[in-house]
Amino acid sequence: MSPITPPLARRLDSLQSSAIRDLLKLTARADIISLAGGLPDAELMPRDRIATAAAAALSDRSRLQYTESPGWGPLREVLAARESAALGRPVLVDEVFVTHGSQQALSLLSEVLLDPGALVVVEDPAYVGALQVFRAAGARIEAVPVDAEGMRVDALRELITRGERPAVVHTVSNFHNPGGVTLSPRRRGELAELADTHGFWIIEDDPYGELWFDQPSPVPVANYSPNVIRLSSVSKILAPTLRVGWMVAPAQVCRAVELLKQGADLCGSALTQQIAADLLTDTDWLTTHIDAVRAAYGIRAKALVGAVRHRFADRVVTTDAAGGMFVWVDFTDGTDTNALLPGALDAGVAYVPGSAFAVTTDYSHSMRLCFTTSHADVLTEAVDRLARAARV
């Protein structure tokens, strides 16, 4: 008699692998220029400075122990000071919780804030990591569109007027992934006012806010309302391998997250949290480092946008790259980016079709391009290859 295979949880029925991750498997060939990834440039990561900080942390064996579930105390103090400066108000250490990257914060929050069937409002196109988390939590997902000023808060207001009551509204407020746009100050205030009036949580997902090119990012949404939980990380400004993210949230939310984190992994890495604290407190070095990253990405972003607009002209509309890592391109001539992709790969260039980020809108005529991991001349060649594939 064959053994009976036990079933897996039904929550997996609604989940699927990220189309972006699947695409990256196809772009490993050396002859392909990938605009598909969402990775910072490893060449700009401060390897030597990280090594120095690691050596300093390892000089004391006691620092190899477990640390507190909410994060290593000195790092939380550093983050509280940084967030106080960003928000223009005091942020207490008890309001800072360190996580294994900001994605873990999003996952833990979904368990703390959402009952099965609760309504979550996301942006469309959406950050796929958020969609995976909310679907795994059994949430009901509604989407509101994004335009040049970020989330269409008027569409959210209409949704509420129709009787919908969100438990959570998720926004990538600065240099949106995948849309590349930034939520305007006016809409930040309007979004916060809706949260205060109707009693829902805003998750302000902000991994890109320090990667501005021409002018600083607007004041965070969390400055406008106590109902905002703000997420960030060092992955984009230092290195993803540190796996240091954090949330700023009311103390009762942090305590609830702590209970879940204790069951998930007890605590994060005390070693990498000490390294992150060392780098974040070396303010002169950090300023110089982030300025260098901004300068490099800014040159690449302008090269990519310029090449796309030059080669495709009025066949496309593309976002201006004012910061972050991504450019969103809409074809105006009916080009199907899913159908175009095999030819683009044959031509030696990869991108992510817009449908990978779709919630309710099709986006079959759109694509996301990442400019961070190639120099300007390589990006120009990538667009040339894309143009040949599209027969421009």
Side-chain angles (χ1 to χ4, degrees):
M1 178 179 174
S2 299
I4 298 174
T5 302
L8 300 178
R10 285 193 297 271
R11 68 170 63 94
L12 293 172
D13 294 343
S14 64
L15 301 183
Q16 58 186 8
S17 176
S18 164
I20 301 170
R21 298 298 179 193
D22 295 342
L23 177 61
L24 292 180
K25 298 175 185 176
L26 302 175
T27 61
R29 295 191 344 234
D31 61 322
I32 289 183
I33 302 172
S34 180
L35 307 178
L39 307 177
D41 187 354
E43 294 299 319
L44 296 174
M45 296 176 195
R47 181 190 60 185
D48 295 342
R49 183 65 183 81
I50 290 173
T52 300
L58 290 169
S59 66
D60 184 347
R61 284 184 178 272
S62 68
R63 294 189 171 185
L64 298 177
Q65 269 293 2
Y66 291 104
T67 189
E68 301 91 342
S69 295
W72 189 53
L75 174 60
R76 293 171 68 206
E77 292 173 1
V78 170
L79 294 173
R82 285 174 58 84
E83 292 292 333
S84 295
L87 296 178
R89 62 170 175 81
V91 173
L92 304 178
V93 171
D94 284 347
E95 298 172 319
V96 176
F97 197 101
V98 180
T99 55
H100 195 72
S102 61
Q103 185 69 19
Q104 187 190 47
L106 196 57
S107 179
L108 293 171
L109 283 170
S110 73
E111 297 184 65
V112 166
L113 305 180
L114 300 173
D115 292 317
L119 175 61
V120 175
V121 177
V122 300
E123 295 158 324
D124 197 5
Y127 167 51
V128 293
L131 290 178
Q132 289 176 312
V133 163
F134 297 141
R135 285 168 178 159
R140 182 167 62 93
I141 298 174
E142 293 281 350
V144 295
V146 169
D147 64 16
E149 292 186 60
M151 174 186 281
R152 285 269 310 279
V153 178
D154 63 317
L156 173 61
R157 185 178 290 107
E158 290 174 9
L159 195 70
I160 293 171
T161 300
R162 294 201 304 267
E164 295 284 11
R165 289 297 178 264
V168 167
V169 173
H170 177 268
T171 179
V172 181
S173 54
N174 292 314
F175 316 120
H176 186 266
N177 178 11
V181 296
T182 292
L183 186 64
S184 69
R186 176 177 60 84
R187 289 189 183 176
R188 291 175 189 234
E190 292 173 351
L191 176 59
E193 183 179 5
L194 284 177
D196 291 346
T197 300
H198 298 283
F200 59 79
W201 293 103
I202 299 168
I203 298 179
E204 180 184 18
D205 213 341
D206 186 22
Y208 311 107
E210 294 193 67
L211 297 181
W212 50 268
F213 302 151
D214 298 319
Q215 59 183 12
S217 304
V219 172
V221 182
N223 187 66
Y224 294 85
S225 168
N227 290 351
V228 181
I229 299 170
R230 176 170 154 79
L231 311 184
S232 194
S233 102
V234 302
S235 293
K236 307 305 187 293
I237 61 170
L238 295 177
T241 193
L242 294 175
R243 304 314 300 136
V244 173
W246 61 90
M247 71 175 74
V248 175
Q252 68 269 28
V253 173
C254 291
R255 298 294 74 77
V257 168
E258 181 177 358
L259 293 175
L260 290 173
K261 185 169 172 61
Q262 288 171 351
D265 63 4
L266 294 180
C267 65
S269 166
L271 178 60
T272 59
Q273 290 182 29
Q274 290 168 65
I275 293 169
D278 187 331
L279 272 60
L280 292 174
T281 53
D282 190 351
T283 53
D284 289 343
W285 170 85
L286 183 64
T287 298
T288 300
H289 166 70
I290 295 178
D291 283 347
V293 174
R294 287 179 187 138
Y297 287 174
I299 290 170
R300 298 172 191 183
K302 289 177 174 58
L304 178 61
V305 171
V308 169
R309 289 174 175 171
H310 173 71
R311 287 303 304 265
F312 289 89
D314 59 0
R315 290 185 60 178
V316 301
V317 175
T318 178
T319 53
D320 292 314
M325 299 171 56
F326 305 107
V327 171
W328 184 260
V329 178
D330 291 311
F331 280 85
T332 59
D333 62 357
T335 295
D336 186 320
T337 55
N338 288 291
L340 176 62
L341 184 58
L345 291 170
D346 288 342
V349 63
Y351 58 85
V352 184
S355 58
F357 309 96
V359 185
T360 56
T361 307
D362 183 14
Y363 295 119
S364 60
H365 308 303
S366 306
M367 63 174 65
R368 188 196 75 175
L369 306 179
C370 179
F371 50 76
T372 54
T373 53
S374 296
H375 290 281
D377 57 338
V378 178
L379 293 169
T380 300
E381 171 61 23
V383 175
D384 288 341
R385 295 181 185 186
L386 184 60
R388 289 195 293 271
R391 299 180 181 178
V392 173

